[in-house]
């Protein structure tokens, strides 16, 4: 995925990369997380292609993969692992 293209859902990555360049440094770590880890993985690839080096994707995201009943937070993910979080 190159900056200015689209992610797997068809959304443009141009705005995301441009915004990230404005607020983050290419020399500092960037941590990415989404619900399942898929969008944050795509975002990390776009940032990597744009020159960012120290990028971390939170594996399985916050809620993780779907289980057999199509529910999240029962197999893996940040919340399932018991890591700290707070709903505001």
């Amino acid at each position: 995925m190159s900056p200015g293209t689209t992610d797997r859902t068809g959304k443009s990555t141009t705005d995301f990369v441009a915004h990230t360049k404005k607020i983050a440094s290419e020399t500092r770590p960037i941590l990415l997380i989404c619900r399942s880890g898929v969008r944050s993985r795509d975002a990390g690839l776009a940032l990597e292609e744009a020159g960012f080096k120290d990028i971390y994707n939170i594996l399985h995201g916050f809620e993780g993969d779907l289980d057999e009943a199509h529910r999240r937070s029962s197999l893996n993910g940040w919340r399932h692992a018991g890591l700290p979080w707070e709903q505001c």
Side-chain angles (χ1 to χ4, degrees), residues 5 10 14 16 24-25 31 33 39-41 45 48-49 51 56 59 88:
T5 62
T14 304
F16 172 73
S25 168
L31 290 96
I33 190 169
R39 286 171 295 154
S40 55
R41 181 197 62 218
L45 292 172
E48 189 175 61
E49 289 188 16
Y56 299 89
L59 186 64
C88 299

Side-chain angles (χ1 to χ4, degrees), residues 41-69:
R41 181 197 62 218
D42 291 347
L45 292 172
L47 292 177
E48 189 175 61
E49 289 188 16
F52 288 86
K53 305 282 186 235
D54 204 4
I55 305 164
Y56 299 89
N57 177 43
I58 308 301
L59 186 64
H60 303 299
F62 182 72
E63 293 186 352
D65 297 320
L66 293 171
D67 63 16
E68 292 176 4

Side-chain angles (χ1 to χ4, degrees), residues 71-86:
R71 294 188 197 121
R72 296 190 188 274
S73 296
S74 64
L75 296 176
N76 50 33
W78 185 278
R79 184 163 62 177
H80 182 263
L83 297 169
W85 67 282
E86 180 177 317

Side-chain angles (χ1 to χ4, degrees), residues 7-48:
D7 66 12
R8 65 176 194 77
T9 66
K11 293 182 182 175
S12 172
T13 61
T14 304
D15 291 343
F16 172 73
V17 171
H19 182 71
T20 303
K21 283 184 173 185
K22 287 181 184 178
I23 64 169
S25 168
E26 291 180 15
T27 60
R28 297 192 63 197
I30 296 178
L31 290 96
L32 301 168
I33 190 169
C34 68
R35 183 184 62 190
S36 67
V38 175
R39 286 171 295 154
S40 55
R41 181 197 62 218
D42 291 347
L45 292 172
L47 292 177
E48 189 175 61

